[in-house]
Amino acid sequence: MESAPPTLRTLADRRGLLIGACVADRPLADDPLYAALLARELNAVVPENMMKMGPLRPSRDRWNWGPADSIVAFAQQHRMKVRGHTLAWHGSLPAWVTGGNFAQAELRGILEEHIRGVVGHYRGRVFAWDVVNEAVDGETGGLRPMWAAALGPECLDLAFRWAHEADPQAQLFYNDFGGEGLTAKSAAIYRLVSGMLGRGVPVHGVGLQMHVGLHDYPSPAGLAANINRLAALGLQVHVTELDVQIQRGLGTPQERLAAQARVYGDLVAACLDTGRCQAILTWGVTDRYSWIPHHTGRPDAPLLFDEAGRPKPAYEAVAAALRERTPA
Ligand code: G3I
């Protein structure tokens, strides 16, 4: 009997690459196919929402560890690595913070307490954190108001220092979208992390979210150039939230799925060819649980597995990119 083709996990393990996806606690608990697919095909996970401040801290003195703990426990049971997402972001903030009318010093105290509490709770179980998410304003290249005004620019460095003190082994990342190729935003991110390194801030990597579409994605050459210049700073690079929307595309559904496969294959190949991308995670496991239809209000199929968890042409393209580049 012909043996089954190697899974993405097998192909990635051969290369020492992390291949993963963001995970939601409800389908993980309720959908056995979802859990089985995760454990079979992937070697890394990141909680989609349950480590964000809003879900984690419904009130200042209540920590809702359960849902994120269930994802971490699943990962440990299946020998998977866990990325933590995210410690400091202008999104998914709880109402007691956004409505608290806090002065800057109070906000900094709340953020320090939060970062030390979360990183301390997961110390030794989360190997990498998105410490700061989406602080750069793509229009101006400067910092978003949360950092430029509410917390103050120095607080971005402090966030990384607090996380490092809470878990000195954890790899600490700056994570953002729109800065994958050679763009004004990626130049701003490069300047930001260069400055942090120059000040001795413990930043260890940059997360490239890579939310793209059939007609708007970074050129493989631009992506590789950006990865290489970040790596030249001594930084790691993770692709943290890869998905490829197909709703905005011409052609039949089959033609769009084929085009999607080419985009996935080209982007993954470009990352692998640099030899400086340590992790590639998609933002969601199967199309059924993608955030995109909720975000756009239109159906989509952005991931590697379809609504029923079956591999799509995009899966085959990623597997091929891994096979063609994985050391024997
Ligand atoms: O859990 C509540 C539910 O109880 C309630 O009934 C429902 C309706 O209000 O909301 C549910 O919470 C939603 C949550 O997703 C879980 O589904 C929030 O409203 C919704 O805002 C939240 O959206 C998430 C979004 O980040 C904001 O946190 C998406 O699922 C998630 O995919 C998305 O992920 C972000 C990354 O963290 C950062 N990069 C961009 C990426 C896409 O926006």
Short mmCIF file of all heavy atoms in Angstrom, two decimals, residues 6 17 20 71 76 84-85 121 169 173 275 305 311:
data_model
loop_
_atom_site.label_atom_id
_atom_site.label_comp_id
_atom_site.label_asym_id
_atom_site.label_seq_id
_atom_site.Cartn_x
_atom_site.Cartn_y
_atom_site.Cartn_z
N PRO A 6 4.06 12.93 3.07
CA PRO A 6 4.44 13.56 4.34
C PRO A 6 3.54 14.76 4.63
O PRO A 6 3.14 15.50 3.72
CB PRO A 6 5.89 13.99 4.11
CG PRO A 6 6.08 14.03 2.64
CD PRO A 6 5.15 13.01 2.07
N LEU A 17 11.83 24.01 10.72
CA LEU A 17 10.95 25.18 10.55
C LEU A 17 9.69 24.98 11.39
O LEU A 17 9.23 23.84 11.58
CB LEU A 17 10.52 25.26 9.06
CG LEU A 17 9.54 26.38 8.69
CD1 LEU A 17 10.29 27.70 8.51
CD2 LEU A 17 8.78 26.02 7.41
N GLY A 20 2.59 26.62 11.44
CA GLY A 20 1.49 26.62 12.38
C GLY A 20 0.30 27.45 11.94
O GLY A 20 0.21 27.84 10.77
N ILE A 71 -5.52 25.97 25.07
CA ILE A 71 -4.75 25.92 23.81
C ILE A 71 -3.30 25.54 24.12
O ILE A 71 -2.70 24.71 23.44
CB ILE A 71 -4.83 27.29 23.09
CG1 ILE A 71 -6.26 27.55 22.62
CG2 ILE A 71 -3.85 27.34 21.92
CD1 ILE A 71 -6.51 28.95 22.08
N GLN A 76 1.10 21.48 24.30
CA GLN A 76 2.08 20.70 25.06
C GLN A 76 1.81 19.20 24.87
O GLN A 76 2.74 18.41 24.68
CB GLN A 76 2.02 21.08 26.54
CG GLN A 76 2.55 22.51 26.80
CD GLN A 76 2.67 22.84 28.28
OE1 GLN A 76 1.69 22.69 29.02
NE2 GLN A 76 3.85 23.25 28.71
N GLY A 84 2.89 33.56 21.69
CA GLY A 84 1.91 34.33 22.46
C GLY A 84 1.53 35.60 21.70
O GLY A 84 2.40 36.27 21.14
N HIS A 85 0.20 35.89 21.69
CA HIS A 85 -0.28 37.05 20.93
C HIS A 85 -1.42 37.68 21.68
O HIS A 85 -2.42 37.00 21.93
CB HIS A 85 -0.73 36.58 19.54
CG HIS A 85 -1.33 37.63 18.68
ND1 HIS A 85 -0.59 38.47 17.90
CD2 HIS A 85 -2.62 37.98 18.50
CE1 HIS A 85 -1.40 39.29 17.26
NE2 HIS A 85 -2.64 39.01 17.60
N HIS A 121 2.85 34.07 33.86
CA HIS A 121 1.94 32.91 33.89
C HIS A 121 2.36 31.86 32.86
O HIS A 121 2.27 30.66 33.11
CB HIS A 121 0.51 33.37 33.59
CG HIS A 121 -0.51 32.27 33.58
ND1 HIS A 121 -1.07 31.75 34.73
CD2 HIS A 121 -1.07 31.58 32.55
CE1 HIS A 121 -1.93 30.80 34.41
NE2 HIS A 121 -1.95 30.68 33.09
N GLN A 169 13.93 33.78 28.78
CA GLN A 169 14.15 32.82 27.67
C GLN A 169 13.23 33.09 26.48
O GLN A 169 13.48 32.61 25.38
CB GLN A 169 13.89 31.37 28.17
CG GLN A 169 14.78 30.95 29.33
CD GLN A 169 16.26 31.19 29.06
OE1 GLN A 169 16.77 30.83 28.00
NE2 GLN A 169 16.93 31.87 29.98
N PHE A 173 9.03 39.65 20.00
CA PHE A 173 8.81 40.11 18.63
C PHE A 173 8.00 41.41 18.59
O PHE A 173 7.11 41.63 19.43
CB PHE A 173 8.04 39.05 17.84
CG PHE A 173 8.89 37.92 17.35
CD1 PHE A 173 9.40 36.97 18.24
CD2 PHE A 173 9.21 37.79 16.01
CE1 PHE A 173 10.19 35.93 17.81
CE2 PHE A 173 10.01 36.75 15.55
CZ PHE A 173 10.50 35.82 16.45
N GLY A 275 16.46 31.33 3.98
CA GLY A 275 17.07 30.57 5.08
C GLY A 275 17.05 31.34 6.39
O GLY A 275 17.71 30.97 7.36
N PHE A 305 -6.79 24.82 4.23
CA PHE A 305 -7.78 23.75 4.34
C PHE A 305 -9.18 24.32 4.14
O PHE A 305 -9.48 25.40 4.64
CB PHE A 305 -7.69 23.05 5.71
CG PHE A 305 -6.35 22.42 5.99
CD1 PHE A 305 -5.34 23.15 6.61
CD2 PHE A 305 -6.09 21.12 5.60
CE1 PHE A 305 -4.10 22.59 6.86
CE2 PHE A 305 -4.84 20.54 5.85
CZ PHE A 305 -3.85 21.29 6.47
N PRO A 311 -7.39 19.42 2.42
CA PRO A 311 -6.31 20.24 1.83
C PRO A 311 -6.75 20.84 0.49
O PRO A 311 -7.39 20.16 -0.31
CB PRO A 311 -5.18 19.23 1.62
CG PRO A 311 -5.51 18.05 2.44
CD PRO A 311 -6.99 18.02 2.60
#
